[in-house]
Amino acid sequence: MGATVTSRVFDLLGAFDAGHRSLTLSALARRAGLPLATAHRLVADLRRCGALDRRPDGEYVIGRRLWDLGLLAPMRTGLRQAASPFLHDLYGATLATVHLAVRDGAEALYIDRLAGHVSVPIVSDVGSRLPLHATGVGKVLLAHAPDDVVAAALARLTRITPYTVTEPARLLAQVRRIRAEGYATTGEEMSLGACSVAVPVRGPADEVVAALGIVVPTLRRERPKLVAALQVAAQGISRTLARS
Amino acid sequence: MGATVTSRVFDLLGAFDAGHRSLTLSALARRAGLPLATAHRLVADLRRCGALDRRPDGEYVIGRRLWDLGLLAPMRTGLRQAASPFLHDLYGATLATVHLAVRDGAEALYIDRLAGHVSVPIVSDVGSRLPLHATGVGKVLLAHAPDDVVAAALARLTRITPYTVTEPARLLAQVRRIRAEGYATTGEEMSLGACSVAVPVRGPADEVVAALGIVVPTLRRERPKLVAALQVAAQGISRTLARS
DNA sequence: GCGCTCCTTCCGTTCAGCGGAAGGCAAGTA
DNA sequence: TACTTGCCTTCCGCTGAACGGAAGGAGCGC
């Protein structure tokens, strides 16, 4: 690996993740695999650039500059904008947490999320990546992914809760059903006490560009209603995407 | 200015802004004030780190890595999460575009935004900064800012539309009224065809931590209803903030 | 006191970064 | 075709910025 300053800078920044939003200098250096003195200097530079902030307690956090820059990334901006109003509609109709995700390699990347007042235990957040086999949106994305991705996913089905599907054959059957019926469901497979329903969002050429899902405490017999609401919203998003 | 690699990297990244989300290499170098060869090498490094992407047409855009990092920034995460459901409620009740902003120096920084299907011409977006004197949320934040900020703002009131308030005395009178009545309004002062109403969001110690506003085509005689809805939502946010 | 972990500063070495210059496309112009 | 203009890319010798071990605090617990 080339030891350019740029790569070191991103090694440092990469030390932050969802579970480590603030770090001490030494933790930063340790996680980035850099000598303390080097980390110290780079961190000082980054702070001068506004990329890192130092909180009163001495720990470092990602700074405003990076927040600004991140918002400029073309992360499906069009998709997010097109979907936004429909997510609200869905929330209004179901009062459930609503998710919009795309497939990023072998993971589902959540690009928008809309949570209500009372929420089921939910792990996802905007920007987080979750496996394809244990969530509603994940299964939808998996069902419409290229064969090699499906194969790779089936190869390692990690158990997350007692209800997570870990037998390849069973997941494959689900994938087939999802393709046929047009929606996916999960029952506490990612998080206990949380069930989900999800449908694909299609682009102009009918290809699946994203998945739209909601999370509810229990499916009971609301499933048909939820599926219908999701499909209406998904079609609305597709229509909005088409004209732009 | 120290010519550290880190600063150069951020000079490059800083060449992107809301109006320039994609740039050619030479534009990037020009805007960053760097020699072409230098920019070329740094851009290659950044691309290797995932901080920049190259689109098929050859232009560079902010990459996914920075999007991820930006989401880790503690940009009022607590405030955003607390406010989120109330923004939806507001949208549901009014069908207007809803904004949540904080004061960042002498500007209003929009930290969340919720737009409906049909929207009035609106300039703001999440992450954008707008002056304090020409928007609803801006005026609210101005009215509860320290005296020196108010003085600085009054000193340069740039005209944006024919209706923008540019006389210091008049804005000062408005600021006093906003403090007394608890809400602010604007009429096409930022963008023609867009009026707004905004109220303060208060923290545990009754200090103003943010402003909550909505944008509508016209105020007509809906103002009392809108103000009431906003105040209910703002109090809800404050209550949610208090217990956490 | 002693040990521990953390942060900061110093300084001589050296190698990564620098950037002018030159070359290669691709489009537009005459 | 020949010339211009704007891009992007590569080369290469010089040099000073980055490096990181080491030493020196500062704070805390025992």
Side-chain angles (χ1 to χ4, degrees), chain B residues 105-123:
Chain B
E107 290 174 309
L109 172 61
Y110 287 72
I111 62 170
D112 210 346
R113 177 204 188 205
L114 199 156
H117 292 277
V118 285
S119 46
V120 212
I122 283 181
V123 267

Side-chain angles (χ1 to χ4, degrees), chain B residues 1 12 43 97 119 125 136 188 191 200 213 215 225:
Chain B
M1 78 144 195
L12 268 181
V43 163
T97 297
S119 46
D125 196 357
E188 308 191 275
S191 166
V215 180
K225 201 185 93 184

Side-chain angles (χ1 to χ4, degrees), chain B residues 189-202:
Chain B
E189 296 166 32
M190 183 71 217
S191 166
L192 292 175
C195 302
S196 65
V197 191
V199 302
V201 178
R202 293 172 185 278

Side-chain angles (χ1 to χ4, degrees), chain A residues 100-134:
Chain A
L100 183 68
V102 297
R103 186 173 63 79
D104 182 33
E107 290 174 309
L109 171 61
Y110 287 71
I111 63 170
D112 211 346
R113 177 204 187 206
L114 198 155
H117 292 278
V118 285
S119 44
V120 213
I122 283 180
V123 267
S124 69
D125 195 357
V126 173
S128 63
R129 291 158 210 276
L130 294 180
L132 291 175
H133 70 284

Side-chain angles (χ1 to χ4, degrees), chain B residues 44-90:
Chain B
D45 286 349
L46 287 170
R47 206 140 79 94
R48 217 166 292 126
C49 295
L52 288 183
D53 272 350
R54 187 165 204 184
R55 292 191 318 195
D57 65 4
E59 300 217 331
Y60 291 95
V61 293
I62 299 285
R64 229 198 10 240
R65 187 81 181 271
L66 285 175
W67 190 70
D68 287 358
L69 284 171
L71 291 174
L72 293 174
M75 275 310 290
R76 327 286 175 152
T77 320
L79 179 58
R80 282 230 304 287
Q81 280 177 9
S84 178
F86 294 99
L87 299 190
H88 305 310
D89 293 350
L90 259 183

Side-chain angles (χ1 to χ4, degrees), chain A residues 148-166:
Chain A
D148 56 330
V149 174
V150 178
L154 288 176
R156 43 192 162 88
L157 301 176
T158 50
R159 154 152 285 133
I160 297 154
T161 74
Y163 302 100
T164 309
V165 178
T166 54

